[in-house]
Amino acid sequence: MKVEVINHPLINLYMTILRSKDTQSTKFRSLARKISSLMAFEIFKDLRVLPKTIETPLEKYNGVKLSDPKPCVISILRAGLIMSEGITDIFDVVSIGHIGMYRDEKTLEPINYIRKLPSDSSASKIAHSPLPSFALLLNELITPPLTIVGSNF
């Protein structure tokens, strides 16, 4: 799993406000959504596209279309939901999936209680597709890494 740190002044500013003990929950949610939207530009900078020519009212235009399969955004419930909303505000042509999990208090092992992935998602095709594809796993920063590893999507 590739992990990349995005260092952007606006994201850093919003993260500072978001993490403050004085930030109210409505402001927290608003900032988390904004941060996710800003991150979408970096996340999808290498999105695979194919050439596509269209007719405009004046002339032909050489543009692009998305290649298949489309990316899949998978949120770890519940904190990942606001992140998926922020990303789909910017780029809504993705499949959406959800993984619900909690940590067993005695064994500290992650327990899955829901795993809902779209059947056409790149998550289900990654192992079988010759085309470049990816699934974006969304989770808040405070969850221990073993929770993500335990998702087994």
Side-chain angles (χ1 to χ4, degrees), residues 1 16 81 134 137 150:
M1 180 182 320
T16 302
L81 288 175
F134 68 91
L137 192 60

Side-chain angles (χ1 to χ4, degrees), residues 87-122:
I87 288 171
T88 57
D89 284 347
I90 301 301
F91 183 60
D92 63 355
V93 187
V94 295
S95 298
I96 300 288
H98 303 285
I99 297 174
M101 46 192 347
Y102 64 92
R103 186 168 300 283
D104 183 286
E105 291 182 22
K106 292 180 183 175
T107 67
L108 302 180
E109 293 295 315
I111 308 293
N112 289 325
Y113 64 87
I114 187 171
R115 185 174 149 218
K116 183 78 172 161
L117 302 177
S119 60
D120 67 337
S121 74
S122 61

Side-chain angles (χ1 to χ4, degrees), residues 17-33 78 82:
I17 299 166
L18 178 137
R19 297 179 82 177
S20 170
K21 66 181 176 104
D22 299 324
T23 300
Q24 300 294 316
S25 63
T26 54
K27 184 70 171 175
F28 180 95
R29 288 191 301 274
S30 170
L31 289 170
R33 189 171 182 149
R78 295 178 324 172
I82 194 117

Side-chain angles (χ1 to χ4, degrees), residues 30-62:
S30 170
L31 289 170
R33 189 171 182 149
K34 284 181 183 180
I35 290 166
S36 300
S37 292
L38 291 167
M39 289 172 53
F41 288 98
E42 184 67 22
I43 292 165
F44 295 115
K45 72 180 179 186
D46 295 323
L47 190 65
R48 301 292 180 161
V49 294
L50 301 171
K52 179 179 180 176
T53 302
I54 61 165
E55 292 285 336
T56 73
L58 301 175
E59 61 187 15
K60 288 185 179 182
Y61 172 74
N62 294 321

